[in-house]
Amino acid sequence: MKVRRSERLIDMTRYLLERPHALVSLTFFAERYESAKSSISEDLTILKRTFQMRGTGILETIPGAAGGARFIPYILKEEAQTFIDEMTDLVADKSRVLPGGYIYLSDILGQPEILRQVGRVIATQYLNQKIDAVMTVATKGIPIAQSVATYLNVPFVIVRNDSKITEGSTVSVNYVSGSSERIKKMELSKRSLSEGANVLIVDDFMKGGGTINGMKTLIEEFDANLIGITVFAEAAFTGNRLIDDYTSLLRVTNVNDNEKAIKVVPGNYLETVFGAEV
Amino acid sequence: MKVRRSERLIDMTRYLLERPHALVSLTFFAERYESAKSSISEDLTILKRTFQMRGTGILETIPGAAGGARFIPYILKEEAQTFIDEMTDLVADKSRVLPGGYIYLSDILGQPEILRQVGRVIATQYLNQKIDAVMTVATKGIPIAQSVATYLNVPFVIVRNDSKITEGSTVSVNYVSGSSERIKKMELSKRSLSEGANVLIVDDFMKGGGTINGMKTLIEEFDANLIGITVFAEAAFTGNRLIDDYTSLLRVTNVNDNEKAIKVVPGNYLETVFGAEV
């Protein structure tokens, strides 16, 4: 039975949103809805316009009978700015300050609606780059990696500090923890990454940059390529930071454990992604 | 400017899919699209019918001017069965067998499209129950918890085996690892769970059930309530399993490290959720 336009639009929206960056053919939709390809083409034009108008993303349409559509989610500058401002306020809460100048973020990074936006924000930065895998280190980077990977529709891989039998053979590297200056070890399952893979590193929090530097070394060990580094929050750090080319959504400029004071400002994300005049 | 029906349907679909279980008011949509509530009501009827027809979920509509809509995602039995069968084939791969009878699952649990379906499948089981938080243990349970939490639209909390300064004050419990019979310790940040919270436990793999038993003890320590336990895969276990009331998507019935043999069958999920005649 032929499906009406209204029903097609609803189901196509869901179908495309669930498969970012994947090319879905006109033929597939035409068969799914028992409708003419010309009708599907018209549907896609409406979808494209609506996605653009609402800041949902780009619907790339490939014309012709062999064509189709590819949904590329993004966030517009204004919405990203609003979100980063909200996060700035949420993190800048005295009760989050922990001994040693650490900050409690687990509640924030356990909320699906926040993680969805964090993923969308970070994925927007790498919209036009070929990413094969998102990499993070256990534990708190995982939800961010998963959300970014969902928007980019690529796998994510988890580097671990502890050796687990369930990972099989691993490649391990030593790294210097930038903030504590201790030598640590991190490892990644051998099967996780292919040679030549383009890797995006994400993490929740960066202080000295030692952990991220360790992941960079791991990427080299796998003969893979580092495409970029984006963290949710970077901390004020007075020592010699090991990483300089990175993007942050938030920057914690001042944490005082004794006075339980904390100051948070937007990181360099908006400037990096949307240009200087922020 | 008044928004046309086709554009409303596309944007409402996206808006509702991104906010499962949340009540969105008629007034909100009427203002968003500068359209009459009666038109929005008609839109919701079309959405409801399409979501039902395509097995996307239930759109609960609350009638009247003060009413609205709530999207409750689910998976139908047939689609769940197909997915579980696919996972059964994917896991039953000799190259996954690791020393000690463990199984390599990290690649599967790092694919957003698989995690999306795992989350949808597990969330369907708890559709009609009030869940306040999804709990799991680091590391490999996290992606599953995040996906289930996204479909239920509730926070997830991560229990850890290692003590991290970034968690602040924690509550810790000792537990007996069922398979190795060693005493271990797990802990959860004090701020993670409220008293009386209804908690769903999920994990990637259950062998002796010791880890899950530890989480049960933690839930008691927080004066919270355990609502259910669902794991992606349960292993063949000949000892005295510490947990008996749980649901599994897959059951690994036989793993032989020497011969690199593995046998996987569907777990009790389909029977538990959709009734006996599977």
Side-chain angles (χ1 to χ4, degrees):
Chain A
M1 191 198 68
K2 203 159 164 292
V3 176
R4 274 189 289 186
R5 164 147 296 152
S6 56
E7 290 167 14
R8 288 199 309 259
L9 291 174
I10 294 166
D11 193 60
M12 285 167 92
T13 300
R14 180 191 61 78
Y15 196 90
L16 289 163
L17 290 181
E18 285 181 351
R19 288 160 186 80
H21 292 265
L23 180 66
V24 184
S25 72
L26 269 187
T27 311
F28 172 82
F29 281 136
E31 284 172 6
R32 185 176 174 92
Y33 307 122
E34 302 188 27
S35 303
K37 283 189 185 177
S38 56
S39 307
I40 302 291
S41 272
E42 286 165 29
D43 296 344
L44 291 173
T45 306
I46 302 170
L47 278 160
K48 184 180 192 146
R49 191 176 57 223
T50 308
F51 284 171
Q52 191 185 355
M53 207 167 57
R54 297 280 163 187
T56 306
I58 304 160
L59 192 70
E60 275 185 10
T61 44
I62 290 100
R70 191 194 314 268
F71 170 60
I72 300 166
Y74 62 55
I75 195 163
L76 295 178
K77 182 176 161 185
E78 200 189 343
E79 195 181 345
Q81 192 154 9
T82 306
F83 176 70
I84 288 173
D85 288 344
E86 281 170 15
M87 289 303 106
T88 303
D89 291 345
L90 196 59
V91 173
D93 173 343
K94 278 187 275 185
S95 72
R96 297 193 174 278
V97 179
L98 298 172
Y102 286 90
I103 298 161
Y104 183 75
L105 293 175
S106 300
D107 59 333
I108 295 177
L109 300 178
Q111 290 183 45
E113 225 170 302
I114 291 178
L115 288 167
R116 184 168 58 72
Q117 285 292 60
V118 171
R120 199 172 150 217
V121 162
I122 298 178
T124 299
Q125 185 179 359
Y126 301 98
L127 208 67
N128 296 314
Q129 271 160 298
K130 196 185 167 307
I131 308 278
D132 298 308
V134 179
M135 175 184 276
T136 195
V137 71
T139 300
K140 295 224 302 298
I142 301 174
I144 294 176
Q146 179 167 351
S147 185
V148 175
T150 300
Y151 277 99
L152 295 175
N153 206 0
V154 299
F156 60 96
V157 299
I158 304 168
V159 176
R160 305 179 62 136
N161 283 302
D162 52 343
S163 198
K164 285 290 264 191
I165 192 156
T166 51
E167 295 304 306
S169 311
T170 59
V171 174
S172 78
V173 297
N174 294 311
Y175 68 102
V176 182
S177 167
S179 34
S180 66
E181 300 223 333
R182 276 187 305 155
I183 303 282
K184 294 186 182 176
K185 193 174 182 168
M186 57 166 67
E187 52 187 57
L188 179 63
S189 170
K190 263 196 167 170
R191 315 187 197 190
S192 288
L193 269 190
S194 316
E195 206 182 298
N198 292 320
V199 182
L200 165 63
I201 292 179
V202 300
D203 209 353
D204 61 324
F205 200 70
M206 181 171 79
K207 239 180 148 175
T211 313
I212 286 173
N213 210 30
M215 286 193 269
K216 278 180 73 171
T217 312
L218 256 180
I219 290 174
E220 283 163 24
E221 284 297 325
F222 276 88
D223 288 319
N225 311 311
L226 173 65
I227 301 296
I229 300 165
T230 301
V231 298
F232 177 70
E234 60 171 309
F237 188 67
T238 47
N240 187 13
R241 187 164 266 160
L242 297 162
I243 297 287
D244 50 13
D245 192 11
Y246 63 89
T247 306
S248 65
L249 273 55
L250 309 181
R251 182 177 291 142
V252 181
T253 54
N254 190 26
V255 190
N256 191 314
D257 182 17
N258 293 328
E259 298 169 18
K260 292 270 180 223
I262 179 168
K263 189 160 184 284
V264 185
V265 298
N268 64 352
Y269 174 86
L270 292 167
E271 202 183 313
T272 306
V273 177
F274 297 103
E277 38 92 45
V278 171
Chain B
M1 190 199 69
K2 205 161 162 291
V3 176
R4 274 188 288 187
R5 163 147 295 151
S6 56
E7 290 167 14
R8 288 200 308 259
L9 290 174
I10 293 166
D11 193 61
M12 286 168 92
T13 299
R14 180 191 61 79
Y15 196 90
L16 289 163
L17 289 180
E18 285 181 350
R19 287 157 187 83
H21 293 266
L23 181 66
V24 185
S25 72
L26 269 187
T27 310
F28 172 83
F29 280 136
E31 285 171 6
R32 186 176 174 92
Y33 307 122
E34 302 186 28
S35 303
K37 284 188 183 176
S38 56
S39 307
I40 302 291
S41 273
E42 286 165 28
D43 296 344
L44 290 173
T45 306
I46 302 170
L47 278 160
K48 185 180 191 146
R49 191 176 58 223
T50 307
F51 283 170
Q52 191 185 357
M53 207 166 59
R54 296 281 163 187
T56 307
I58 304 160
L59 191 70
E60 274 185 11
T61 45
I62 290 99
R70 191 195 313 270
F71 170 61
I72 300 167
Y74 63 54
I75 194 164
L76 295 178
K77 183 176 160 184
E78 201 188 342
E79 195 181 345
Q81 191 154 11
T82 305
F83 176 70
I84 289 173
D85 287 345
E86 282 170 16
M87 288 303 106
T88 303
D89 291 347
L90 196 59
V91 173
D93 173 345
K94 278 187 276 186
S95 72
R96 297 192 174 279
V97 179
L98 299 171
Y102 286 91
I103 298 162
Y104 184 75
L105 292 176
S106 299
D107 59 332
I108 295 177
L109 300 178
Q111 290 181 45
E113 225 172 304
I114 290 178
L115 287 167
R116 185 167 59 74
Q117 284 291 59
V118 170
R120 197 171 153 218
V121 161
I122 298 178
T124 299
Q125 185 180 359
Y126 300 97
L127 209 65
N128 297 311
Q129 271 159 298
K130 195 184 167 307
I131 308 278
D132 299 307
V134 178
M135 175 185 276
T136 195
V137 71
T139 303
K140 293 224 302 296
I142 301 174
I144 294 177
Q146 179 168 351
S147 185
V148 174
T150 300
Y151 277 99
L152 295 175
N153 206 0
V154 299
F156 60 96
V157 299
I158 303 169
V159 176
R160 305 179 63 138
N161 283 301
D162 52 343
S163 199
K164 285 289 263 191
I165 192 156
T166 51
E167 295 304 306
S169 312
T170 60
V171 174
S172 77
V173 297
N174 294 310
Y175 68 101
V176 182
S177 165
S179 33
S180 66
E181 299 220 334
R182 275 188 305 156
I183 303 282
K184 293 187 184 175
K185 195 176 182 166
M186 57 167 66
E187 53 188 56
L188 180 63
S189 169
K190 262 195 168 174
R191 318 187 195 191
S192 289
L193 269 190
S194 316
E195 207 182 299
N198 292 319
V199 183
L200 165 63
I201 292 178
V202 301
D203 208 354
D204 61 323
F205 200 70
M206 181 172 79
K207 238 178 150 177
T211 312
I212 286 174
N213 209 31
M215 287 193 268
K216 278 179 74 169
T217 312
L218 256 180
I219 290 173
E220 284 163 24
E221 285 296 327
F222 276 87
D223 288 321
N225 310 310
L226 174 66
I227 301 295
I229 300 163
T230 301
V231 298
F232 178 69
E234 59 171 309
F237 188 67
T238 47
N240 187 13
R241 187 164 265 161
L242 296 162
I243 298 286
D244 49 14
D245 192 10
Y246 63 89
T247 306
S248 65
L249 272 55
L250 309 181
R251 183 177 289 142
V252 181
T253 55
N254 190 26
V255 190
N256 190 314
D257 180 17
N258 293 329
E259 298 169 17
K260 294 266 179 226
I262 179 168
K263 190 161 184 280
V264 185
V265 298
N268 64 352
Y269 174 86
L270 291 167
E271 202 182 313
T272 306
V273 177
F274 297 103
E277 38 90 46
V278 171

